[in-house]
Amino acid sequence: AARGSWQWVVPLIAVCALFHGYAHGTALPEFSEPARYFAGFLMATAVLHASGMAAAVTLRNQASALRAGGFAISLAGVWLILAL
């Protein structure tokens, strides 16, 4: 339950999101229609965000479940980085 200043976190997330979006944009298949491709990405992103928010609201009073989920996500990130 660390508390910190959000003034440096929000710009960092925005920069990461920009690069992440650019990576998806460059992965556009040649056979695809760009408008449909990006509409699908927008819908998938909305579903993922809504699912994450629902999970956070559901688990907000269960600190051990939140920590376990955060730990699992961290492990997955480390695994992905090491797999490069």
Side-chain angles (χ1 to χ4, degrees), residues 3-73:
R3 302 282 180 208
S5 175
W6 59 269
Q7 281 97 0
W8 66 272
V9 174
V10 172
L12 178 65
I13 291 171
V15 169
C16 290
L18 180 68
F19 283 107
H20 185 86
Y22 178 78
H24 281 297
T26 59
L28 176 69
E30 291 184 25
F31 59 85
S32 175
E33 294 180 39
R36 288 185 180 186
Y37 181 79
F38 288 116
F41 261 97
L42 287 174
M43 289 189 310
T45 300
V47 168
L48 287 171
H49 281 86
S51 299
M53 290 170 29
V57 169
T58 302
L59 299 173
R60 70 176 159 223
N61 295 325
Q62 299 176 7
S64 60
L66 287 173
R67 285 193 177 99
F71 183 70
I73 290 169

